[in-house]
Amino acid sequence: MEIYDTEEEQVEALKRWWKENGTSTLIGIGLAIAVVLGWDYWKNYKQEQALKASALYEQILKRSAAGKNSDVEKIAAQLQQKYASTAYADYGQLFLAKSQVAKNALAEAETTLDKLMKTADTEISNLARIRLVRVKLASEKYEEGLQLIAMADPEVTKGFAGIYDELTGDLYVALGRLAEARTAYTSALRSGSNSPFIQFKLDDITAADIVSGSE
Amino acid sequence: MLTKIREKSQGVFAWVILLLICVPFALWGIQNYLGGGSERPVVTVGDKEFFERDVNNAYAQFAQSLGGMNFDEALIKKQALEKLINDEVLWQYVQEKGLVITNQTAREFVQNLEFLQTDGKFDKTKYKSLLATQRMTPAEFTARIKKALAMEQMQKTVIESSFATQADAERFFAIQNQTRDIEYINVPLPENIAMPTDDEALAYYEQHKDQFQTPEKVKIEYVELSLDKLAKQIDVTDEELKTYYEEHKAQYSTPARYRISHILFKFNKNKSEDNVALERALKAKQALQQKSFDDLAAEISDDKLTAPKGGDLGYFSEGVMDKAFEEAVKSLKPGDVSEPVKSAFGYHLIKLTELTPARIKSFEDVKDEVAASYRKERAENRFYELGELMAEVSYENPDNLLPIAEEIGAEIKQTDWFTRQAGQGIAEQPAVRSAAFSEDVLKGNNSEPIELGNDRLVVMRVLEHQPAQPEGFDAVKSTIKAQLQKDKARKMSEETAQQIRQALSQGMTMAEVADKYKLELHTISGLERANAEVSLPIKQVVFKAAKPLPGKPTIVMTTDVDGSQVVISLNKVNPGKLTEDDKLKLKLAVRNIAKAYGETEFNAFLKALRERTTIKQRTD
């Protein structure tokens, strides 16, 4: 650092410095303010979007409970178009699929669920896959159903294993492969799934060689 | 310490209100008020720590939600902890996904809470007094409601978006409606079995000593706060009663009664043809100039149930039929017939056949009733205040009931001995028994205030405690003998049943075996699951049995309700068909199955969230 003898020299030095660096300093300060404001604006914007999407989504919940499927489909599309960045867009698609199944448009439901399975987060993607298999079962595409389950990464399906096992059992029953169905249902029971149907379906395909003496 | 006292005094009512509005307990109280520096968390979910008191709160709330039923304390504690963890992982997910609740949704929810309403409308005073008793600002309260609603939104997302297909329902009915052809032989328990000797009984007693114990018992003393009692202490003047009567006049009057008949013109399935029904109704109205209402109803009403009775619907209660229908009835004079009125079913012509006008009871007539209600209403506030006080005083003096008794002006009463399962007087209440046998009370502390219904509160402490004790041989001798006798009979029945089974496997038919053993052969073709004549154990084993191969029936055995053995031959399984009735119910069935799927999925969803969250539980 230089040592200045007089005030004039100091002022001179300051002036020099300002001449060299003034513009970039101003730009720097300006940028900082812009970033802070922008971030704030962005956060507010996000929050606004989420609130608007939530309000729309509440409508889906209400209309779906009342069985007004055409309304559900309209709102789901709106969510998809305007609020694609919110989680509500995906949730709307779940209800869209439900409504498509209700009017027996199984092929459309397949498309909806297939897309959701590929794009949504892990948990929602699992739900979509489970429901897609259910549609395959209803459309008698049993092998495709089995494939969908086989393709799922066990790391990712953790927690949902009981449901996949039960569906596997259903698919095998439909294919007449009862021994495999039994294994699948038994495994579903063991996973601690709280589905009320597993034992019911398993009891219906008891193996002939097991002597079911009982107390 | 501060928080503990604070939590205590927020007390029982806070829980009840919380239960009603389902706010997860995780939010309750000031979390980690003490900083938790020295205390180790009981469980950590992600980066959220829960301490002893959080878990205790969760437990208290959960136990309350079971209505004081007598369950295993350790088990409830475990379930409460599970719920706490589930709620927390769900909440963290909800935040991560950015789910939010609008002010309007929160407002609607609060305004629709029944306990914040008076005569069906949101009551601001009630809302304010709720906040006051909870010591919460509106902002805090709203934040809690929003959290709960956001979690509910996610739960609904999983459960309510779930669907079942027609195929699912059909597969269900194919099993549910399946019938099975069976033959069975019941091998009854032989009678005249020799009574076992004392020695045999004693030997059994020695081996199974732990089965023969007198149950654990306690005697308690308690202080009771009762709304009824408080009400009696309140002085009232005639002036006050009159004002109250005027304000609540509707309660003291009998509404008008209408007896009506109708002729129904149903809509066609095709809604666009509503006009057909209307035209028919108009034509019928004209025809009434020639014909009596009764005859016309019998001829053309689509309501086949009432048509033969001249369309008589009996007395008409408000709130059952559509608004328009109701209004039409009210505007009629006795004997009049209405213009066609539209309802969800179709068009109606309505005739008012009898009218008893509304009657208002005079103040003098109902004075006692008015006084009782008025007192009760005034007493309620006092009841809540004293309830809070009770909790506070009890907490400050945990080894003694006297201060509470003095504070609320009640006497200390005592009970007789009672067990976990049964008691007399106040111990008839499961909530009282459950509290009396709780760890804390047995240790010698005062209980928390226990709610009995909405209008009684009890704080208790144990006077005497008698642990389970072995029973002497003489006291149980006859029970053991009867038991041994029954066991012997059962064994003999089992042996015969085994012989029968063997004979069947060697190629004899059911009829031949029945003949050989002189037992009756029961034959049932088309046994349904819902059949009420065949006992449950038989149905269970039949519907669990392997399907028979042609010419090779499946043989199974079971024990009937009376202990006798049953040998069953399952001859044929008839696949289930959809009955006409089921077809009508198919929509409902699809909805019910979807709901079951949804719940299973939500369960799995929570499991998955837990899998990916780091959850550490303290293991001591």
Side-chain angles (χ1 to χ4, degrees), chain A residues 50-51 54 57-58 62 88 91 94-95 98 101 121 123 130-131 134 137-138 158-160 163 170 191 193-195 200 203-204 206-208 211-212 214-215, chain B residues 93 97 99-100 102 108 153-154 157-158 160-163 165 171 175-176 178 180 494 501 541 544 546-547 556-557 597 600-601 603-605 607-608 611-612:
Chain A
L51 282 169
S54 174
Y57 184 63
E58 283 288 329
K62 274 190 197 146
Y88 293 109
Y91 304 161
L94 286 174
F95 280 94
K98 177 183 182 143
V101 168
D121 70 51
E123 283 73 28
I130 284 164
R131 292 170 187 180
R134 221 162 256 153
L137 188 61
K158 261 189 191 170
F160 294 93
I163 299 180
D170 292 350
S191 77
S193 164
N194 66 343
S195 160
F200 179 73
D203 285 349
D204 192 55
T206 305
V211 181
S212 40
S214 66
E215 217 102 351
Chain B
Y93 181 81
K97 292 293 146 192
L99 300 199
V100 284
T102 61
E108 264 170 32
Q153 202 181 47
M154 194 60 228
T157 295
V158 179
E160 292 184 6
S161 70
S162 195
F163 55 79
T165 61
R171 263 181 310 132
I175 303 180
Q176 178 65 26
Q178 171 186 95
R180 300 192 163 195
E494 257 171 44
R501 176 180 210 149
V541 76
K544 225 182 156 145
K547 291 173 186 160
V556 288
M557 280 167 64
Y597 282 168
T600 306
E601 284 163 8
N603 208 288
F605 183 82
K607 237 196 243 177
E611 287 281 352
R612 63 168 214 183

Coordinates of all heavy atoms in Angstrom, one line a residue, chain A residues 50-51 54 57-58 62 88 91 94-95 98 101 121 123 130-131 134 137-138 158-160 163 170 191 193-195 200 203-204 206-208 211-212 214-215, chain B residues 93 97 99-100 102 108 153-154 157-158 160-163 165 171 175-176 178 180 494 501 541 544 546-547 556-557 597 600-601 603-605 607-608 611-612:
Chain A
A50 N -47.7 -22.9 -6.6 CA -48.0 -24.1 -5.8 C -49.4 -23.9 -5.2 O -50.3 -24.8 -5.2 CB -47.0 -24.3 -4.7
L51 N -49.7 -22.7 -4.7 CA -51.0 -22.4 -4.1 C -52.1 -22.6 -5.2 O -53.2 -23.1 -4.9 CB -51.0 -21.0 -3.5 CG -50.4 -21.0 -2.1 CD1 -50.2 -19.5 -1.7 CD2 -51.1 -21.7 -1.1
S54 N -52.6 -26.1 -6.0 CA -53.2 -26.8 -4.9 C -54.7 -26.6 -4.9 O -55.5 -27.5 -4.7 CB -52.6 -26.4 -3.5 OG -53.3 -27.0 -2.5
Y57 N -56.2 -28.6 -7.5 CA -56.2 -30.0 -7.2 C -57.3 -30.4 -6.2 O -57.9 -31.5 -6.3 CB -54.8 -30.4 -6.7 CG -54.6 -31.8 -6.4 CD1 -54.7 -32.8 -7.4 CD2 -54.4 -32.3 -5.1 CE1 -54.5 -34.1 -7.1 CE2 -54.2 -33.6 -4.8 CZ -54.3 -34.5 -5.8 OH -54.1 -35.9 -5.6
E58 N -57.5 -29.5 -5.2 CA -58.6 -29.7 -4.3 C -59.9 -30.0 -5.0 O -60.8 -30.8 -4.6 CB -58.8 -28.5 -3.3 CG -57.8 -28.4 -2.2 CD -57.9 -29.5 -1.2 OE1 -59.1 -29.9 -0.9 OE2 -56.9 -30.0 -0.6
K62 N -62.5 -33.2 -4.9 CA -63.9 -33.1 -4.7 C -64.7 -33.7 -5.8 O -65.7 -34.5 -5.6 CB -64.3 -31.6 -4.5 CG -64.2 -31.1 -3.1 CD -64.8 -29.7 -2.9 CE -64.2 -29.1 -1.6 NZ -64.1 -27.7 -1.7
Y88 N -48.4 -31.4 -8.2 CA -49.9 -31.6 -8.4 C -50.1 -32.1 -9.8 O -51.1 -32.8 -10.1 CB -50.6 -30.4 -8.1 CG -50.6 -30.0 -6.7 CD1 -49.9 -28.9 -6.2 CD2 -51.3 -30.7 -5.7 CE1 -49.9 -28.6 -4.9 CE2 -51.3 -30.4 -4.4 CZ -50.6 -29.3 -4.0 OH -50.6 -29.0 -2.6
Y91 N -50.1 -35.8 -9.7 CA -51.2 -36.3 -8.9 C -52.5 -36.3 -9.7 O -53.3 -37.2 -9.7 CB -51.4 -35.6 -7.6 CG -50.1 -35.6 -6.7 CD1 -50.0 -34.6 -5.7 CD2 -49.1 -36.5 -6.9 CE1 -48.9 -34.6 -4.9 CE2 -48.0 -36.5 -6.1 CZ -47.8 -35.5 -5.1 OH -46.7 -35.5 -4.3
L94 N -52.9 -39.3 -11.9 CA -53.3 -40.5 -11.2 C -54.9 -40.5 -11.3 O -55.5 -41.5 -11.5 CB -52.9 -40.5 -9.7 CG -51.4 -40.8 -9.5 CD1 -51.1 -40.6 -8.0 CD2 -51.1 -42.2 -9.9
F95 N -55.5 -39.3 -11.0 CA -56.9 -39.3 -11.1 C -57.5 -39.4 -12.5 O -58.5 -39.9 -12.8 CB -57.5 -38.0 -10.4 CG -57.5 -38.1 -8.9 CD1 -56.4 -37.7 -8.2 CD2 -58.6 -38.7 -8.3 CE1 -56.4 -37.8 -6.8 CE2 -58.6 -38.8 -6.9 CZ -57.5 -38.4 -6.2
K98 N -57.7 -43.0 -13.2 CA -58.8 -43.6 -12.5 C -60.1 -43.3 -13.3 O -61.0 -44.2 -13.5 CB -59.0 -43.0 -11.1 CG -60.2 -43.5 -10.4 CD -60.3 -42.8 -9.0 CE -61.6 -43.4 -8.3 NZ -61.4 -43.5 -6.9
V101 N -60.3 -45.5 -16.4 CA -60.7 -46.8 -16.1 C -62.2 -46.9 -15.8 O -62.9 -47.8 -16.3 CB -59.9 -47.4 -14.9 CG1 -60.5 -48.6 -14.4 CG2 -58.5 -47.6 -15.3
D121 N -41.7 -39.2 -9.7 CA -40.7 -39.6 -8.7 C -40.9 -41.0 -8.3 O -41.9 -41.7 -8.6 CB -40.8 -38.6 -7.5 CG -42.1 -38.8 -6.6 OD1 -42.4 -40.0 -6.3 OD2 -42.8 -37.9 -6.4
E123 N -41.9 -42.8 -5.7 CA -43.1 -43.4 -5.1 C -44.3 -43.3 -6.0 O -45.0 -44.3 -6.2 CB -43.4 -42.6 -3.8 CG -42.5 -42.9 -2.6 CD -41.1 -42.4 -2.7 OE1 -40.9 -41.4 -3.4 OE2 -40.2 -43.0 -2.2
I130 N -47.9 -50.1 -10.5 CA -48.9 -51.1 -9.8 C -50.3 -51.0 -10.6 O -50.9 -52.0 -10.9 CB -49.1 -50.7 -8.3 CG1 -47.9 -51.2 -7.6 CG2 -50.4 -51.3 -7.8 CD1 -47.8 -50.6 -6.2
R131 N -50.7 -49.8 -10.8 CA -52.0 -49.6 -11.4 C -52.0 -50.0 -12.9 O -53.0 -50.5 -13.4 CB -52.5 -48.1 -11.2 CG -52.7 -47.9 -9.7 CD -53.0 -46.5 -9.3 NE -53.0 -46.4 -7.9 CZ -53.2 -45.3 -7.2 NH1 -53.4 -44.1 -7.9 NH2 -53.3 -45.3 -5.9
R134 N -52.5 -53.5 -13.0 CA -53.9 -53.8 -12.8 C -54.7 -53.7 -14.1 O -55.6 -54.4 -14.4 CB -54.4 -52.9 -11.7 CG -55.3 -53.5 -10.7 CD -55.5 -52.7 -9.5 NE -54.7 -53.2 -8.4 CZ -54.3 -52.5 -7.4 NH1 -54.5 -51.2 -7.4 NH2 -53.6 -53.0 -6.4
L137 N -54.0 -56.5 -16.4 CA -54.7 -57.7 -15.9 C -56.2 -57.7 -16.5 O -56.7 -58.7 -17.0 CB -54.7 -57.7 -14.4 CG -55.3 -58.9 -13.7 CD1 -54.5 -60.2 -14.0 CD2 -55.2 -58.7 -12.1
A138 N -56.7 -56.5 -16.4 CA -58.1 -56.3 -16.9 C -58.2 -56.5 -18.4 O -59.2 -56.9 -19.0 CB -58.7 -55.0 -16.5
K158 N -38.9 -51.2 -3.1 CA -38.9 -51.5 -1.6 C -40.2 -50.8 -1.0 O -40.5 -49.7 -1.3 CB -37.7 -50.8 -1.0 CG -36.6 -51.8 -0.7 CD -35.5 -51.1 0.1 CE -34.3 -52.0 0.2 NZ -33.2 -51.2 0.8
G159 N -40.8 -51.6 -0.1 CA -42.0 -51.1 0.5 C -43.2 -51.5 -0.2 O -44.3 -51.8 0.4
F160 N -43.2 -51.6 -1.6 CA -44.3 -52.0 -2.4 C -44.3 -53.5 -2.7 O -45.2 -53.9 -3.4 CB -44.3 -51.2 -3.7 CG -44.6 -49.7 -3.5 CD1 -43.6 -48.8 -3.3 CD2 -45.9 -49.2 -3.4 CE1 -43.8 -47.4 -3.1 CE2 -46.1 -47.9 -3.1 CZ -45.1 -47.0 -3.0
I163 N -47.5 -55.7 -2.6 CA -48.5 -55.4 -3.7 C -48.0 -56.1 -5.0 O -48.8 -56.7 -5.7 CB -48.7 -53.9 -3.8 CG1 -49.2 -53.3 -2.5 CG2 -49.7 -53.7 -5.0 CD1 -49.4 -51.8 -2.6
D170 N -52.0 -62.8 -9.0 CA -53.2 -62.6 -9.8 C -52.9 -63.0 -11.3 O -53.7 -63.7 -12.0 CB -53.7 -61.2 -9.8 CG -54.3 -60.8 -8.4 OD1 -54.4 -61.8 -7.5 OD2 -54.5 -59.6 -8.1
S191 N -44.8 -60.5 3.4 CA -44.2 -59.1 3.4 C -45.0 -58.2 4.3 O -44.6 -57.1 4.5 CB -44.3 -58.6 1.9 OG -45.7 -58.2 1.7
S193 N -48.1 -57.2 3.9 CA -49.1 -56.3 3.2 C -50.4 -56.5 3.9 O -50.8 -57.5 4.3 CB -49.2 -56.8 1.7 OG -50.3 -56.2 1.2
N194 N -51.1 -55.3 4.0 CA -52.4 -55.4 4.7 C -53.6 -55.6 3.7 O -54.7 -55.3 4.1 CB -52.6 -54.2 5.6 CG -52.7 -52.9 4.7 OD1 -52.4 -52.9 3.5 ND2 -53.3 -51.9 5.3
S195 N -53.3 -56.1 2.5 CA -54.4 -56.3 1.6 C -55.3 -57.4 2.1 O -54.9 -58.5 2.5 CB -53.8 -56.8 0.2 OG -54.9 -57.4 -0.5
F200 N -57.7 -64.8 0.9 CA -58.9 -65.2 0.2 C -58.6 -65.9 -1.1 O -59.1 -66.9 -1.5 CB -59.8 -63.9 0.0 CG -61.1 -64.0 -0.7 CD1 -62.1 -64.6 -0.1 CD2 -61.2 -63.5 -2.0 CE1 -63.4 -64.7 -0.7 CE2 -62.4 -63.6 -2.6 CZ -63.5 -64.2 -2.0
D203 N -56.5 -69.2 -0.6 CA -57.4 -70.3 -0.1 C -58.1 -71.0 -1.3 O -58.4 -72.1 -1.3 CB -58.4 -69.9 0.9 CG -57.8 -69.6 2.2 OD1 -56.6 -70.0 2.4 OD2 -58.5 -69.0 3.1
D204 N -58.3 -70.2 -2.3 CA -59.1 -70.7 -3.5 C -58.2 -71.6 -4.4 O -58.8 -72.3 -5.2 CB -59.6 -69.5 -4.3 CG -60.6 -70.0 -5.3 OD1 -61.6 -70.7 -4.9 OD2 -60.5 -69.8 -6.5
T206 N -55.7 -73.8 -3.1 CA -55.0 -74.8 -2.3 C -54.5 -75.9 -3.2 O -55.3 -76.5 -4.0 CB -55.9 -75.3 -1.2 OG1 -56.4 -74.1 -0.4 CG2 -55.1 -76.2 -0.2
A207 N -53.3 -76.4 -3.0 CA -52.7 -77.5 -3.7 C -53.4 -78.8 -3.3 O -53.6 -79.0 -2.1 CB -51.2 -77.5 -3.6
A208 N -53.6 -79.7 -4.3 CA -54.3 -80.9 -4.0 C -53.5 -81.8 -3.1 O -54.0 -82.6 -2.3 CB -54.7 -81.6 -5.3
V211 N -52.4 -82.2 2.4 CA -53.6 -82.8 3.1 C -54.0 -81.7 4.1 O -53.3 -81.5 5.1 CB -53.2 -84.1 3.8 CG1 -54.4 -84.7 4.5 CG2 -52.6 -85.1 2.8
S212 N -55.1 -81.1 3.9 CA -55.5 -80.0 4.8 C -56.3 -80.5 5.9 O -57.4 -80.1 6.1 CB -56.2 -79.0 4.0 OG -57.1 -79.6 3.1
S214 N -57.0 -80.3 9.8 CA -56.8 -79.0 10.5 C -57.6 -79.0 11.8 O -58.5 -79.8 12.0 CB -57.4 -77.9 9.6 OG -58.7 -78.0 9.5
E215 N -57.2 -78.1 12.6 CA -57.9 -77.8 13.8 C -58.3 -76.4 13.8 O -57.5 -75.6 13.3 CB -56.9 -78.1 15.0 CG -57.7 -78.7 16.1 CD -57.4 -80.2 16.3 OE1 -56.8 -80.8 15.4 OE2 -57.8 -80.7 17.2
Chain B
Y93 N -42.1 -35.7 3.4 CA -42.4 -35.9 2.0 C -43.2 -34.8 1.4 O -42.9 -34.2 0.3 CB -43.1 -37.2 1.7 CG -43.4 -37.6 0.3 CD1 -42.4 -38.1 -0.5 CD2 -44.6 -37.4 -0.2 CE1 -42.6 -38.4 -1.9 CE2 -44.9 -37.7 -1.6 CZ -43.9 -38.2 -2.4 OH -44.1 -38.5 -3.7
K97 N -42.1 -32.2 -1.5 CA -42.9 -32.1 -2.8 C -43.5 -30.7 -2.9 O -44.1 -30.4 -3.9 CB -44.0 -33.1 -2.9 CG -43.5 -34.5 -3.0 CD -42.8 -34.7 -4.3 CE -41.7 -35.7 -4.1 NZ -40.8 -35.8 -5.2
L99 N -46.1 -29.4 -1.2 CA -47.5 -29.3 -1.2 C -47.9 -28.2 -0.2 O -47.3 -28.0 0.8 CB -48.1 -30.6 -0.6 CG -47.9 -31.9 -1.5 CD1 -48.9 -33.0 -1.1 CD2 -47.9 -31.6 -3.0
V100 N -48.9 -27.4 -0.6 CA -49.3 -26.3 0.2 C -50.9 -26.2 0.3 O -51.5 -26.8 -0.6 CB -48.8 -24.9 -0.3 CG1 -47.4 -24.8 0.0 CG2 -49.1 -24.9 -1.8
T102 N -54.2 -23.7 0.6 CA -54.6 -22.3 0.5 C -55.3 -21.8 1.7 O -55.9 -22.7 2.4 CB -55.5 -22.1 -0.8 OG1 -56.7 -22.8 -0.6 CG2 -54.8 -22.5 -2.0
E108 N -62.3 -23.0 5.0 CA -63.5 -23.8 4.8 C -63.5 -25.0 5.8 O -64.5 -25.3 6.4 CB -63.5 -24.4 3.4 CG -64.4 -23.6 2.5 CD -64.2 -24.1 1.0 OE1 -64.0 -25.3 0.8 OE2 -64.2 -23.2 0.1
Q153 N -54.0 -34.2 2.2 CA -54.1 -34.1 0.7 C -53.2 -35.2 0.1 O -53.6 -35.9 -0.9 CB -53.5 -32.8 0.3 CG -54.0 -32.3 -1.0 CD -53.3 -30.9 -1.4 OE1 -52.1 -30.7 -1.2 NE2 -54.2 -30.0 -1.9
M154 N -52.1 -35.5 0.7 CA -51.2 -36.5 0.1 C -51.8 -37.9 0.3 O -51.8 -38.8 -0.5 CB -49.8 -36.5 0.9 CG -48.8 -37.3 0.2 SD -48.5 -36.7 -1.5 CE -48.5 -38.2 -2.4
T157 N -54.4 -38.4 -2.1 CA -53.8 -38.6 -3.4 C -53.6 -40.1 -3.7 O -53.9 -40.6 -4.8 CB -52.5 -37.8 -3.5 OG1 -52.7 -36.4 -3.4 CG2 -51.8 -38.1 -4.8
V158 N -53.1 -40.8 -2.7 CA -52.8 -42.2 -2.9 C -54.1 -43.0 -2.8 O -54.4 -43.8 -3.7 CB -51.8 -42.7 -1.8 CG1 -51.5 -44.2 -2.0 CG2 -50.5 -41.9 -1.9
E160 N -57.5 -42.2 -2.7 CA -58.7 -41.9 -3.6 C -58.4 -42.0 -5.1 O -59.3 -42.0 -5.8 CB -59.3 -40.5 -3.2 CG -59.8 -40.6 -1.8 CD -60.6 -39.4 -1.3 OE1 -60.7 -38.5 -2.1 OE2 -60.9 -39.4 -0.1
S161 N -57.2 -41.9 -5.5 CA -56.9 -42.1 -6.9 C -56.8 -43.6 -7.3 O -56.7 -43.9 -8.5 CB -55.6 -41.4 -7.3 OG -54.5 -42.1 -6.8
S162 N -56.9 -44.4 -6.3 CA -56.8 -45.9 -6.6 C -58.1 -46.3 -7.3 O -59.2 -45.8 -7.0 CB -56.5 -46.7 -5.4 OG -56.1 -47.9 -5.7
F163 N -58.0 -47.3 -8.1 CA -59.2 -47.8 -8.8 C -59.2 -49.3 -8.9 O -58.2 -49.9 -8.7 CB -59.3 -47.2 -10.2 CG -58.1 -47.6 -11.1 CD1 -57.9 -48.8 -11.6 CD2 -57.1 -46.6 -11.2 CE1 -56.8 -49.1 -12.4 CE2 -55.9 -46.9 -12.0 CZ -55.8 -48.2 -12.5
T165 N -60.8 -52.4 -11.4 CA -61.4 -52.6 -12.7 C -62.6 -53.5 -12.6 O -62.8 -54.2 -11.6 CB -60.5 -53.2 -13.7 OG1 -60.1 -54.5 -13.2 CG2 -59.2 -52.4 -13.9
R171 N -63.6 -61.1 -10.8 CA -62.7 -62.1 -10.2 C -63.1 -62.3 -8.7 O -63.1 -63.4 -8.2 CB -61.3 -61.8 -10.3 CG -60.6 -62.4 -11.5 CD -59.2 -62.1 -11.6 NE -59.0 -60.7 -11.5 CZ -58.1 -60.1 -10.8 NH1 -57.3 -60.8 -10.0 NH2 -58.0 -58.8 -10.7
I175 N -65.0 -65.9 -6.9 CA -64.6 -66.7 -5.7 C -65.6 -66.6 -4.6 O -66.1 -67.5 -4.0 CB -63.2 -66.2 -5.1 CG1 -62.1 -66.3 -6.2 CG2 -62.8 -67.0 -3.9 CD1 -60.8 -65.9 -5.8
Q176 N -66.1 -65.3 -4.4 CA -67.0 -65.1 -3.3 C -68.3 -65.9 -3.5 O -68.9 -66.4 -2.5 CB -67.3 -63.6 -3.2 CG -68.3 -63.1 -2.2 CD -67.9 -63.4 -0.8 OE1 -66.7 -63.4 -0.5 NE2 -68.8 -63.6 0.1
Q178 N -68.8 -68.6 -5.3 CA -68.6 -70.0 -5.6 C -69.4 -70.8 -4.6 O -69.5 -70.5 -3.4 CB -67.1 -70.1 -5.5 CG -66.5 -71.5 -5.5 CD -65.0 -71.3 -5.2 OE1 -64.6 -71.5 -4.1 NE2 -64.2 -71.0 -6.2
R180 N -70.0 -75.0 -3.2 CA -69.2 -76.3 -3.1 C -70.2 -77.4 -2.7 O -71.0 -77.2 -1.7 CB -68.0 -76.2 -2.2 CG -67.1 -75.1 -2.6 CD -65.7 -75.1 -2.0 NE -64.8 -74.3 -2.8 CZ -63.5 -74.4 -2.6 NH1 -62.9 -75.2 -1.7 NH2 -62.7 -73.6 -3.4
E494 N -61.8 -87.9 18.0 CA -60.7 -87.7 17.1 C -60.2 -89.0 16.5 O -60.0 -89.2 15.3 CB -59.5 -87.0 17.7 CG -59.4 -85.5 17.4 CD -58.3 -84.8 18.3 OE1 -57.2 -85.4 18.5 OE2 -58.7 -83.8 18.8
R501 N -61.4 -91.6 8.2 CA -60.5 -91.0 7.1 C -59.7 -92.1 6.4 O -59.6 -92.1 5.2 CB -59.6 -90.0 7.7 CG -58.7 -89.4 6.7 CD -57.8 -88.4 7.4 NE -57.5 -87.4 6.4 CZ -57.3 -86.2 6.6 NH1 -57.4 -85.7 7.8 NH2 -56.9 -85.4 5.6
V541 N -63.2 -74.7 6.6 CA -62.3 -75.7 6.1 C -62.7 -76.1 4.7 O -61.9 -76.4 3.8 CB -62.2 -76.9 7.1 CG1 -63.4 -77.8 7.0 CG2 -60.9 -77.7 6.8
K544 N -61.4 -73.7 2.1 CA -60.0 -73.6 2.1 C -59.4 -74.9 1.4 O -58.3 -74.9 1.1 CB -59.5 -73.5 3.5 CG -58.4 -72.5 3.7 CD -57.9 -72.5 5.1 CE -56.5 -72.0 5.1 NZ -56.2 -71.2 6.3
A546 N -58.5 -77.9 -1.1 CA -58.1 -78.0 -2.5 C -59.3 -78.5 -3.3 O -60.2 -79.2 -2.9 CB -57.0 -79.0 -2.7
K547 N -59.4 -77.9 -4.6 CA -60.5 -78.3 -5.4 C -60.3 -79.8 -5.8 O -59.2 -80.2 -6.2 CB -60.5 -77.4 -6.7 CG -60.9 -76.0 -6.3 CD -60.8 -75.1 -7.4 CE -61.1 -73.7 -6.9 NZ -60.6 -72.6 -7.7
V556 N -61.3 -83.6 4.1 CA -60.7 -82.8 5.1 C -61.4 -83.0 6.5 O -62.5 -83.5 6.5 CB -60.8 -81.3 4.8 CG1 -59.8 -80.9 3.7 CG2 -62.2 -80.9 4.4
M557 N -60.7 -82.6 7.5 CA -61.3 -82.8 8.9 C -61.2 -81.5 9.6 O -60.4 -80.7 9.4 CB -60.5 -83.8 9.7 CG -60.8 -85.2 9.3 SD -59.5 -86.4 10.0 CE -59.8 -86.1 11.7
Y597 N -57.8 -51.4 -2.1 CA -56.5 -51.3 -2.8 C -55.8 -50.0 -2.4 O -54.6 -50.0 -2.1 CB -56.7 -51.1 -4.3 CG -57.1 -52.4 -5.1 CD1 -57.5 -52.4 -6.4 CD2 -56.9 -53.7 -4.4 CE1 -57.8 -53.6 -7.0 CE2 -57.1 -54.8 -5.1 CZ -57.6 -54.8 -6.4 OH -57.9 -55.9 -7.1
T600 N -54.2 -50.3 1.0 CA -53.0 -51.1 0.9 C -51.9 -50.3 0.3 O -50.7 -50.4 0.8 CB -53.3 -52.4 0.1 OG1 -54.4 -53.0 0.6 CG2 -52.1 -53.3 0.1
E601 N -52.2 -49.6 -0.7 CA -51.2 -48.8 -1.4 C -50.6 -47.7 -0.5 O -49.4 -47.4 -0.5 CB -51.7 -48.2 -2.7 CG -51.8 -49.3 -3.8 CD -52.8 -48.8 -4.9 OE1 -53.2 -47.7 -4.9 OE2 -53.1 -49.7 -5.8
N603 N -50.5 -47.7 2.7 CA -49.6 -48.4 3.7 C -48.2 -48.7 3.1 O -47.2 -48.4 3.7 CB -50.3 -49.7 4.0 CG -50.0 -50.2 5.3 OD1 -48.9 -50.7 5.6 ND2 -50.9 -50.2 6.2
A604 N -48.2 -49.2 1.9 CA -46.9 -49.5 1.2 C -46.2 -48.2 0.9 O -44.9 -48.2 1.1 CB -47.2 -50.2 -0.1
F605 N -46.9 -47.2 0.6 CA -46.3 -45.9 0.3 C -45.5 -45.4 1.5 O -44.4 -44.9 1.4 CB -47.5 -44.9 0.0 CG -47.0 -43.5 -0.4 CD1 -46.6 -43.2 -1.7 CD2 -47.1 -42.5 0.5 CE1 -46.3 -42.0 -2.1 CE2 -46.7 -41.2 0.1 CZ -46.3 -40.9 -1.2
K607 N -44.5 -47.2 4.0 CA -43.3 -48.1 4.2 C -42.2 -47.7 3.3 O -41.0 -47.7 3.7 CB -43.8 -49.6 3.8 CG -43.6 -50.6 4.9 CD -43.7 -52.0 4.3 CE -44.9 -52.7 4.9 NZ -45.0 -54.1 4.3
A608 N -42.5 -47.4 2.0 CA -41.4 -47.0 1.1 C -40.7 -45.7 1.6 O -39.5 -45.6 1.5 CB -42.0 -46.8 -0.3
E611 N -38.4 -46.5 4.2 CA -37.2 -47.2 3.7 C -36.2 -46.2 3.3 O -35.0 -46.4 3.5 CB -37.6 -48.0 2.5 CG -38.3 -49.3 2.8 CD -37.4 -50.4 3.3 OE1 -36.2 -50.3 3.3 OE2 -38.0 -51.5 3.7
R612 N -36.6 -45.1 2.8 CA -35.6 -44.2 2.2 C -35.2 -43.0 3.2 O -34.4 -42.2 2.9 CB -36.0 -43.6 0.9 CG -37.3 -42.7 1.1 CD -37.5 -41.9 -0.2 NE -38.1 -40.6 0.2 CZ -38.5 -39.7 -0.6 NH1 -38.3 -39.9 -1.9 NH2 -39.0 -38.6 -0.2

